[in-house]
Amino acid sequence: MLLFDAASEHPCAGGLDLHLVTDRVMGGLSEGRLKLEQVAGRPALRMTGDVRLDNDGGFIQMAGELPSSARSARGLRLEVFGNDEVYGCHLRTEDLTRPWQSYRRSFQAPAKWHRIELDYQDFEAYRTDRPFRRAALRRMGLIGVGRAFRADLAIAGIELLLD
């Protein structure tokens, strides 16, 4: 089941509306941009920007609330194009109360279109001791984080991996 399809007239019709969030919400100085555009011959949602560590910052991300259908899946499949950097997929559940808590999985975004599968069971808890409960899944973010670098990540599609 498609959650996001950049080639569609209504890319977010599957229930995942992604928007840009940067560390500026907490005083950081990272800058980013999120735009639908053609990337290597395909329509995509492209996040570009500079991740900076100044003022205790260090991230830019495209994030959104997941539809309840994500709770019945075993994971996510992404169609990505990048700049050979490592990015993260961060998941949040209703069980997490602090903004820095999440369940995380990193992935490489090569400079060619590539499909990656991220099983929920492979995500690691970050700054929480609460176990991941997919029945409480509510939000996802694709993020450049933790080091100063030029981010360039494009997403053509996001779909659910069904059991």
Side-chain angles (χ1 to χ4, degrees):
M1 172 183 183
L2 275 173
L3 296 179
F4 176 85
D5 182 6
S8 170
E9 183 177 342
H10 302 286
C12 304
L16 181 58
D17 185 10
L18 296 167
H19 59 277
L20 183 71
V21 180
T22 73
D23 59 20
R24 289 180 178 258
V25 299
M26 53 180 250
L29 299 176
S30 297
E31 296 180 4
R33 180 181 123 178
L34 191 61
K35 183 178 179 186
L36 278 169
E37 60 185 60
Q38 290 287 319
V39 177
R42 293 183 68 181
L45 185 61
R46 188 177 196 177
M47 178 181 70
T48 57
D50 293 307
V51 179
R52 297 177 51 181
L53 302 178
D54 313 23
N55 287 357
D56 294 322
F59 74 88
I60 65 171
Q61 72 174 321
M62 55 178 111
E65 299 297 316
L66 288 163
S68 60
S69 57
R71 296 173 176 182
S72 62
R74 68 175 172 83
L76 303 166
R77 180 179 294 125
L78 312 176
E79 291 282 338
V80 304
F81 186 101
N83 57 347
D84 289 320
E85 292 283 353
V86 174
Y87 294 89
C89 182
H90 293 187
L91 300 176
R92 290 189 48 83
T93 67
E94 296 166 354
D95 300 327
L96 302 179
T97 58
R98 305 284 186 228
W100 52 80
Q101 296 174 316
S102 62
Y103 303 93
R104 298 179 172 195
R105 168 97 162 43
S106 62
F107 63 90
Q108 184 86 25
K112 64 179 181 178
W113 282 107
H114 182 72
R115 179 177 289 170
I116 59 171
E117 293 188 355
L118 305 173
D119 283 303
Y120 294 152
Q121 69 184 9
D122 297 331
F123 282 71
E124 295 182 3
Y126 180 78
R127 293 182 144 182
T128 181
D129 57 358
R130 291 184 170 253
F132 177 79
R133 288 189 320 119
R134 72 179 183 179
L137 188 58
R138 68 172 187 82
R139 185 174 176 82
M140 74 159 292
L142 300 175
I143 186 167
V145 65
R147 66 195 187 289
F149 76 105
R150 176 77 180 156
D152 190 347
L153 177 65
I155 302 295
I158 301 173
E159 66 183 294
L160 296 176
L161 293 173
L162 300 174
D163 285 329

